[in-house]
Amino acid sequence: MSSSSGRPAVRRVVSLVPSLTEAVATTAPGLLVGATDWCEHPAGLDVVRVGGTKNPDVARIIALAPDLVLANEEENRAPDLGALRAAGLDVLVTEIRTLEQAFTELERVLVRGCGLARPAWLEEARDAWHDLRPAGPPVPAVVPVWRRPWMVLGRDTFAGDVLARLGVANVHAGHAERYPRMPLDELNACGARLVVLPDEPYRFGADDGPECFPGLPSALVSGRHLTWYGPSLAAAPRVLGAALRAAGR
């Protein structure tokens, strides 16, 4: 059977990206047949697990015979995606480095890729971010995403764009690297007036992270709302905004 566009209908999808897994599973329950071990949303997702985002079980994915495999240029490795293509699978690779790009790519994945109607949650997410304006001037911030070694948000990142729309200016946005490794003393001397600590990919918390930045207020934020592009985008301005206000930003 084919879709109205003439493209073969998509009945079986494997997602190698947690954000896209949630987006597809929320929009069309039953379409997903496989997802990574890190795909934790929506809760209770019952599909075949195919390993990690960086080390997927290529043979298991091929055995699932998906009509479409969803991937991301940052989260997944080119050799793995090449192996899937060499096996004859259709692989859709997303690039998401800004909020607007997230909305565009989500529509490409769901509507043009999977052949679904545009979901209501996608419009709700757009509305939540539409005409959002920070209450005051941008607050310079350092945004660690890992420790041992310390890594921070650098240039050209989705999370950096999200924070900018909430009035937080990443002090390393002009760095040559997207996720530079930097010594802690440099992070403390970078001129930031806030440290933003997400709970993923590294699980920063009240007792793990803030103590390394004495004198700086710490905003402990939901990593899912900061870095995921999917249904969580609808609540992200409210959730992240509350965390930033709690830090006195």
Side-chain angles (χ1 to χ4, degrees), residues 63-99:
L64 287 172
D67 302 308
L68 184 65
V69 178
L70 301 177
N72 176 264
E73 50 90 27
E74 178 178 314
E75 295 200 46
N76 307 118
R77 301 185 314 136
D80 296 321
L81 304 183
L84 294 172
R85 289 193 178 101
L89 299 184
D90 188 2
V91 180
L92 189 161
V93 182
T94 58
E95 178 185 292
I96 300 176
R97 301 189 182 188
T98 67
L99 181 65

Side-chain angles (χ1 to χ4, degrees), residues 3-51:
S3 66
S4 58
S5 65
R7 172 180 177 160
V10 172
R11 304 296 187 200
R12 298 172 62 82
V13 173
V14 169
S15 173
L16 303 181
V17 186
S19 296
L20 299 180
T21 296
E22 183 180 22
V24 173
T26 300
T27 306
L31 191 61
L32 276 173
V33 295
T36 75
D37 299 342
W38 300 107
C39 295
E40 299 175 347
H41 296 275
L45 181 66
D46 184 17
V47 296
V48 174
R49 299 297 174 164
V50 297

